[in-house]
């Protein structure tokens, strides 16, 4: 049995009644696409976060269209019952948990690519389409969608959490790459925000309001995304360093010189060992930068040579190229599987994951002190970072039945985030707030800003049915 989190970290669980009349109405409308089976409910009542003791939702509705989502929300609204959107379940901060009970709306069957507009570099998809499926659908047009969180997440979930990933240093996050949305509101009304035009000055920017709202303002049912031409040339390279500081100083120099590097990932030596064991690789077990360059053959070569010269100044060595698609895929797959490699390294463990992001000039200060604390704690951990934009991730590996290890991991998390905030950074670069970082949001944004968010929430969702208990308390 999993040991619960310390009391000050537990979510406030106030289960609202889900009347039998609502379940009956959902079953009448959706038939066998409304499930109350315990196994299905439990699957939709957990994610990859530290929270393990929250009861599952009372029912799961498998939506196949916007009309399905709207009808489910209308029925829930009549009974003031919470609604929690569900994509693929890869959340790390408790976004999917039914802390106030309610129903889960699974949009994974809404997985159609609705239109590809190659001339305008846009694609419109349903929310259950995953990022890999988007790229499969557009690659024949010579295009790609660059946002790539480690998991093959759903586009709806990525928009809801304002996700990013390894390409963010060049291509930005979901905030910069979502042009328009279709959203079902708390009243079951279907609205559209934004257009396929590249810019607009028309009214409030409701698209940006919904991107990052974590399901607390509505259920996303359609997303229009920016696409980019596949680069003429792509080259990946690895470079090993004598220390984390040397790798970070190299990264800072690369960014401050304005080199348009597409990816710049840091993996510490301990994580390299885990990745080698998991992915059957033989990478040098030293701190490594894994980089990628996009452009013309000449520009890619120039970028790479400039970065190699900078790395040499900081003791970088074993600069190795991965120029074939197969070699690049092997390296990036190993990087994206770092989480699974870490968990496999300690059988039965659970990862308490966290991320922060700081201004690039403060990256060394934040990262090095955090590494020193983690080393001193004695807890095994993994460390990866999208260091090109100042974002990095720790995963502390704990025995889920050991309360002391849980407390220690959460204390490390608290110190890490406090340090990032003191350096004018953020409590989360891409995971989102969910349950886990609610207190940190208040410290970062201030009571006045959180109260403004709360005012917006209450205006749009007066009965507090949209994923309640997330981001901030009602």
């Amino acid at each position: 049995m999993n040991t619960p989190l310390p009391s000050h970290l537990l979510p406030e669980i106030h289960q609202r009644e889900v009347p039998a009349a609502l379940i009956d109405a959902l079953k009448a409308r959706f038939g066998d696409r409304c499930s109350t089976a315990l196994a299905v409910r439990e699957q939709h009542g957990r994610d990859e976060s530290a929270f393990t003791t929250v009861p599952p939702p009372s029912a799961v509705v498998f939506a196949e269209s916007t009309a399905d989502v709207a009808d489910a929300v209308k029925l829930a609204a009549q009974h003031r019952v919470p609604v929690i959107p569900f994509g693929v379940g890869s959340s790390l901060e408790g976004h999917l948990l039914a802390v106030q009970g309610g129903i889960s709306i699974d949009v994974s069957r809404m997985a159609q690519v609705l239109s590809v507009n190659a001339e305008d570099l846009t694609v419109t998809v349903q929310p259950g389409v995953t990022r890999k499926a988007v790229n499969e659908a557009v690659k024949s047009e010579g295009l790609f969608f660059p946002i790539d969180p480690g998991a093959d997440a759903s586009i709806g979930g990525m928009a809801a959490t304002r996700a990013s990933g390894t390409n963010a240093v060049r291509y930005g996050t979901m905030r910069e790459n979502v042009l328009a949305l279709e959203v079902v509101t708390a009243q079951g009304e279907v609205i559209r925000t934004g257009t396929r035009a590249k810019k607009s000055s028309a009214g409030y920017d409701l698209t940006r309001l919904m991107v990052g709202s974590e399901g607390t303002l509505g259920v996303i049912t359609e997303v229009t995304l920016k696409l980019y031409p596949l680069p003429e040339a792509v080259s990946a390279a690895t470079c090993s360093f004598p220390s984390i500081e040397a790798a970070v100083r190299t990264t800072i120099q690369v960014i401050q010189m304005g080199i348009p590097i597409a990816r710049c990932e840091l993996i510490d030596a301990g994580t390299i060992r885990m990745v080698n064991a998991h992915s059957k690789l033989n990478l040098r077990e030293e701190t490594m930068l894994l980089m990628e360059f996009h452009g013309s053959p000449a520009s890619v070569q120039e970028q790479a040579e400039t970065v190699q010269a900078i790395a040499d100044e900081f003791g970088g060595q074993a600069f190795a190229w991965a120029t074939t698609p197969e070699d690049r895929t092997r390296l990036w797959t190993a990087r994206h599987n770092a989480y699974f490699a870490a968990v496999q390294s300690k059988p039965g463990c659970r990862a308490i994951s966290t991320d922060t992001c700081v201004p690039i000039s403060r990256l060394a200060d934040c990262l090095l002190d955090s590494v020193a604390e983690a080393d001193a704690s004695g807890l095994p951990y993994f460390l990866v970072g999208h260091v090109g934009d100042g974002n990095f991730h720790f995963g502390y590996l704990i025995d889920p039945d050991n309360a002391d290890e849980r407390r220690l991991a959460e204390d490390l998390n608290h110190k890490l985030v406090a340090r990032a905030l003191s350096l004018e950074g953020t409590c989360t670069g891409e995971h989102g707030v969910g349950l886990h970082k609610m207190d940190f949001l208040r410290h970062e944004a201030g009571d006045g800003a959180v109260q403004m968010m709360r005012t917006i929430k209450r205006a749009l969702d007066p009965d507090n049915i949209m994923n309640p208990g997330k981001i901030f308390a009602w």
Side-chain angles (χ1 to χ4, degrees), residues 390-441:
N391 182 204
F392 59 92
H393 305 254
F394 272 90
Y396 308 107
L397 305 178
I398 67 162
D399 177 350
D401 297 325
N402 188 317
D404 290 337
E405 288 191 1
R406 275 188 176 273
R407 291 188 183 91
L408 180 55
E410 290 297 344
D411 182 58
L412 289 169
N413 177 29
H414 180 87
K415 290 177 179 177
L416 167 61
V417 174
R419 179 175 298 109
L421 295 182
S422 74
L423 297 173
E424 300 180 272
T426 177
C427 64
T428 175
E430 57 187 13
H431 288 181
V433 175
L435 293 170
H436 205 195
K437 293 194 170 179
M438 291 170 64
D439 285 344
F440 295 133
L441 175 65

Side-chain angles (χ1 to χ4, degrees), residues 57-183:
S58 295
V60 178
V61 172
F62 292 90
E64 295 180 352
S65 66
T66 298
D68 284 350
V69 175
D71 287 351
V73 172
K74 286 176 184 176
L75 289 171
Q78 290 174 13
H79 297 275
R80 298 186 178 182
V81 166
V83 169
I84 304 105
F86 186 97
V88 299
S90 57
S91 163
L92 291 166
E93 302 292 356
H95 298 96
L96 307 176
L97 307 188
V99 292
Q100 294 189 21
I103 64 170
S104 174
I105 298 183
D106 185 319
V107 299
S108 62
R109 298 183 186 181
M110 296 175 65
Q112 294 183 44
V113 175
L114 299 173
S115 63
V116 178
N117 299 282
E119 298 89 347
D120 297 321
L121 303 180
T122 68
V123 61
T124 299
V125 302
Q126 291 184 306
V129 176
T130 65
R131 65 175 180 88
K132 290 181 180 178
V134 170
N135 278 312
E136 195 63 32
V138 303
K139 69 179 183 181
S140 63
E141 301 284 353
L143 303 172
F144 82 117
F145 178 63
I147 311 304
D148 67 333
D152 189 19
S154 67
I155 296 298
M158 289 169 60
T161 56
R162 203 184 300 135
S164 53
T166 60
N167 278 313
V169 63
R170 177 159 181 169
Y171 297 98
T173 73
M174 288 298 283
R175 180 181 65 186
E176 291 79 35
N177 287 283
V178 174
L179 290 170
L181 296 170
E182 180 185 80
V183 179

